[in-house]
Amino acid sequence: MMTVDLRSDTVTKPTPGMLEAMWSAKVGDDVFGEDETVNALEQKAAEMFGMEAAIFCPSGTMTNQIAIKCFTNPLDELIADQTAHVYRYEGGGIAFNSAVSTRLLNGYRGIITAEMIEPEINSQNIHYPNTSLVVLENTVNKGGGSCYTLDQIKPIAQLCHDRDLKLHLDGARIFNALAHTGDKASDYGKYFNGISVCLSKGLGAPVGSVFLADKKTIAYARRIRKVLGGGMRQAGFLAAAAIYALDHHVERLKIDHKHAQIIGEELSKQSWVTNVVPVETNIVLFDTAAPAEGILAKLEAKGIKANTTDTHRIRFVTHLDVHPDQVEYVISQLAGI
């Protein structure tokens, strides 16, 4: 029996080329700013997105939480979609780390608009928290890998500029979004004050994310990273994997998207599936007639690993360790569930 792990694109193993890059990395103490491979990654990532500077961190949760801390003050409020990772899956960090409240919107598959945001910006009133930040997520995890295009982002950025708000992007799977929309990474720096880029999801690096912003913000971010325990020493071994991923694993993301579409199409034919969320990138969300936990057990018995996201919803995620023969195997087993 074949084993196919569709739980997340975080389960990938380093490729031989990535391991070689890690093995040969030149390292130093990054807290002292002396790890040249980390420095090279930070410069590379910042330039890719048209930003001034970057900081390498252990996780996307940390880069997001650092960004929120940089762009808000205690008693402020941020605006995000109700599915946002920063709100749902970062352990209550918005309140704990930054003493900030959250105004939640109900976007379409996690996508919010300037028209939705504007009426939720608080007026200057002692009874209200000060609205200071808008957070977007691209792709949207709970939206089934749904994507913002730059044309959707531009009016939000203009509104934030006009109302003196900061705009941060949780770019957990930003390269998947770019592969789908055809937009350029270099254009993003024009619209966001901060961007978090995860390197351990679709790109397959073992650890790490980068937070991109202007030089002043990144200087403050280094202080926050230290306080959060994110200061790493010879982190160049990890940064080398991230550089390799940026150089070799971006273009191939379209393969993952195609695999997800194939699986999604086959799921739509199954009698035990009641709905398949439109597949844009590498995430397949689908609803089941029977409770999802029971379906998950049947999938597991066939060697197919997945996660539930609700009582009747399951998530598949394709990635660089899911090969065409494994996709064929998954399809061959669906009818027997």
Side-chain angles (χ1 to χ4, degrees), residues 230-299:
M232 298 182 285
R233 302 302 179 175
Q234 287 71 37
F237 295 113
L238 301 176
I243 291 172
Y244 183 91
L246 290 171
D247 287 342
H248 297 91
H249 293 169
V250 172
E251 290 299 322
R252 62 153 309 283
L253 288 172
K254 293 180 180 180
I255 299 172
D256 298 339
H257 297 182
K258 182 61 177 178
H259 287 166
Q261 290 164 5
I262 292 170
I263 294 172
E265 289 170 4
E266 191 64 26
L267 282 166
S268 68
K269 302 174 185 177
Q270 307 305 316
S271 61
W272 51 274
V273 175
T274 60
N275 176 58
V276 179
V277 176
V279 179
E280 294 183 25
T281 52
N282 69 323
I283 297 177
V284 184
L285 290 182
F286 60 98
D287 300 320
T288 58
E293 287 291 347
I295 300 297
L296 212 62
K298 292 184 177 182
L299 289 166

Side-chain angles (χ1 to χ4, degrees), residues 67-280:
I68 292 167
K69 186 70 174 175
C70 285
F71 295 140
T72 64
N73 293 305
L75 304 181
D76 280 358
E77 185 168 79
L78 67 79
I79 295 174
D81 184 77
Q82 58 92 15
T83 65
H85 191 280
V86 295
Y87 173 74
R88 286 183 176 260
Y89 300 119
E90 297 186 8
I94 295 172
F96 185 82
N97 295 316
S98 298
V100 166
S101 60
T102 308
R103 181 72 63 92
L104 299 175
L105 307 182
N106 292 306
Y108 174 68
R109 294 178 59 197
I111 303 294
I112 58 177
T113 66
E115 289 75 19
M116 296 172 64
I117 295 167
E118 187 166 22
E120 304 301 326
I121 300 172
N122 291 328
S123 59
Q124 292 299 316
N125 185 309
I126 195 171
H127 298 89
Y128 306 150
N130 176 56
T131 307
S132 60
L133 175 64
V134 174
V135 179
L136 306 182
E137 184 179 339
N138 209 15
T139 67
V140 183
N141 183 1
K142 289 281 284 187
S146 53
C147 301
Y148 283 92
T149 65
L150 272 178
D151 285 340
Q152 292 172 302
I153 290 168
K154 289 174 186 178
I156 298 174
Q158 186 63 52
L159 173 65
C160 290
H161 179 268
D162 293 345
R163 300 296 295 271
D164 197 26
L165 308 180
K166 300 295 186 182
L167 181 61
H168 173 64
L169 178 67
D170 172 7
R173 295 180 174 88
I174 182 59
F175 286 103
N176 292 92
L178 293 170
H180 177 73
T181 64
D183 291 328
K184 295 180 180 179
S186 57
D187 288 334
Y188 268 66
K190 303 173 186 177
Y191 303 105
F192 289 96
N193 300 100
I195 301 173
S196 169
V197 178
C198 187
L199 302 158
S200 63
K201 292 191 173 73
L203 297 187
V207 176
S209 294
V210 285
F211 171 45
L212 318 175
D214 59 59
K215 292 179 180 178
K216 182 178 180 180
T217 299
I218 295 302
Y220 183 46
R222 293 192 183 279
R223 298 184 62 86
I224 300 170
R225 184 184 69 172
K226 181 63 176 176
V227 170
L228 295 178
M232 298 182 285
R233 302 302 179 175
Q234 287 71 37
F237 295 113
L238 301 176
I243 291 172
Y244 183 91
L246 290 171
D247 287 342
H248 297 91
H249 293 169
V250 172
E251 290 299 322
R252 62 153 309 283
L253 288 172
K254 293 180 180 180
I255 299 172
D256 298 339
H257 297 182
K258 182 61 177 178
H259 287 166
Q261 290 164 5
I262 292 170
I263 294 172
E265 289 170 4
E266 191 64 26
L267 282 166
S268 68
K269 302 174 185 177
Q270 307 305 316
S271 61
W272 51 274
V273 175
T274 60
N275 176 58
V276 179
V277 176
V279 179
E280 294 183 25

